[in-house]
Amino acid sequence: MLQQLQKDLRKLASPEKAKIMQRFFKTGKGEYGEGDIFLGITVPEQRKLAIRFKKLDIEDLQKLLGSKIHEERLVSLMILRIKYQKTDQKGKKEIFDFYLNNTRNINNWDLIDLSSGEIVGNYLRDKDKSILYKLARSENLWEKRIAMLATYPYIKKGEFAEAFKIAEILLRDKHDLIQKAVGWMLREIGKRDQKVEEEFLRKYYKIMPRTMLRYAIEKFPGDKRKFYLTK
């Protein structure tokens, strides 16, 4: 079954799209996605394959997640999401542990954005969340983004405390992928309660990296954006 999935992926490969993706996901020397290999397959195409091959076992998903081919890692995470949604609490714990044991392989922003909230965030909803703070303080770029994106399910439910705590830890981070992630989550809070977001911003906007601030205030009216950007 694993070999068939890999064959089907290669049948969908597009060298032209792969070249574009290699540039878009910064795979050049010294860039954040250095060494990542793309086949050039669209996300909808991969999603269809994930549904078809959703019965792959954890051992096969581990092989896919350890691949240097981006689409193989992405499909494995899509399948993992499907399995997480369908399994019982014991199964969810196994998937959560599997995920955290593989953060070295969940190593690009789209992989994280697809999976962190769905698996890490949802699993920890009614549990101790200290692992999120550990991830946020990691030296690893991707673990920090996992921590921030894991708060998205809480934000959607109007629960902002964890997102603000993680944002405070990452407030001075120098990498633009972290700055964008924090700003994005703050913006999502503002969509639901702008007053609460602004309380946070008034406290920190003067020390925030510019990219983070721009993302956070993107949906504000023009005069309010100008206020934060010129002060």
Side-chain angles (χ1 to χ4, degrees):
M1 204 171 186
L2 172 61
Q3 289 76 20
Q4 188 59 54
L5 169 57
Q6 291 171 320
K7 284 179 184 177
D8 288 354
L9 278 168
R10 281 152 184 77
K11 284 178 187 174
L12 293 168
S14 166
E16 295 78 18
K17 288 178 185 174
K19 286 179 184 177
I20 295 169
M21 290 175 176
Q22 299 275 157
R23 290 194 297 271
F24 183 72
F25 285 96
K26 309 292 185 186
T27 62
K29 188 170 179 58
E31 295 181 310
Y32 64 74
E34 181 178 354
D36 211 351
I37 298 169
F38 284 80
L39 296 176
I41 306 169
T42 67
V43 170
E45 288 172 325
Q46 293 176 75
R47 194 171 288 120
K48 287 177 184 175
L49 284 177
I51 293 168
R52 274 182 54 208
F53 290 92
K54 63 186 178 183
K55 291 186 178 179
L56 280 177
D57 60 28
I58 286 292
E59 289 73 22
D60 285 337
L61 294 183
Q62 181 66 72
K63 290 173 186 173
L64 286 173
L65 206 47
S67 172
K68 289 185 177 180
I69 296 172
H70 190 93
E71 287 90 345
E72 290 193 354
R73 301 200 307 283
L74 185 60
V75 168
S76 73
L77 291 168
M78 287 177 171
I79 294 172
L80 204 63
R81 269 184 52 165
I82 294 169
K83 286 184 176 295
Y84 183 87
Q85 292 162 2
K86 300 291 185 183
T87 192
D88 58 15
Q89 198 58 31
K90 182 174 181 246
K92 284 176 166 53
K93 172 70 162 63
E94 290 171 357
I95 290 171
F96 171 78
D97 290 341
F98 175 82
Y99 189 94
L100 291 185
N101 287 332
N102 276 281
T103 55
R104 68 189 180 281
N105 298 318
I106 306 169
N107 56 356
N108 219 313
W109 57 265
D110 62 321
L111 304 177
I112 293 166
D113 297 0
L114 167 93
S115 59
S116 178
E118 293 291 330
I119 295 173
V120 179
N122 280 330
Y123 180 76
L124 294 174
R125 176 175 291 283
D126 57 352
K127 299 174 183 67
D128 175 64
K129 295 177 179 59
S130 57
I131 184 63
L132 292 184
Y133 306 115
K134 181 180 178 182
L135 291 170
R137 292 186 174 95
S138 169
E139 294 298 313
N140 183 285
L141 163 66
W142 308 116
E143 290 187 347
K144 289 187 279 190
R145 189 167 174 113
I146 286 169
M148 192 70 249
L149 267 293
T151 67
Y152 199 9
Y154 314 147
I155 293 170
K156 289 176 181 176
K157 295 284 188 180
E159 302 162 8
F160 309 138
E162 300 300 336
F164 283 139
K165 289 175 187 175
I166 300 297
E168 284 177 335
I169 294 171
L170 298 173
L171 203 61
R172 297 176 185 270
D173 198 276
K174 291 182 168 39
H175 202 290
D176 73 323
L177 286 179
I178 301 303
Q179 295 172 13
K180 289 174 182 177
V182 175
W184 173 20
M185 291 300 101
L186 292 175
R187 184 175 74 230
E188 290 299 325
I189 290 172
K191 285 181 186 177
R192 292 155 178 87
D193 192 331
Q194 187 173 313
K195 181 181 177 184
V196 170
E197 183 193 0
E198 287 203 67
E199 286 173 4
F200 183 88
L201 288 177
R202 287 194 197 99
K203 192 174 179 182
Y204 294 117
Y205 79 94
K206 290 182 180 178
I207 62 171
M208 261 183 198
R210 201 73 163 176
T211 297
M212 187 184 294
L213 179 59
R214 284 187 181 279
Y215 267 64
I217 64 175
E218 188 179 283
K219 298 297 182 183
F220 284 11
D223 57 339
K224 191 153 280 191
R225 285 203 310 275
K226 185 176 180 182
F227 167 82
Y228 283 106
L229 289 170
T230 55
K231 287 289 182 180

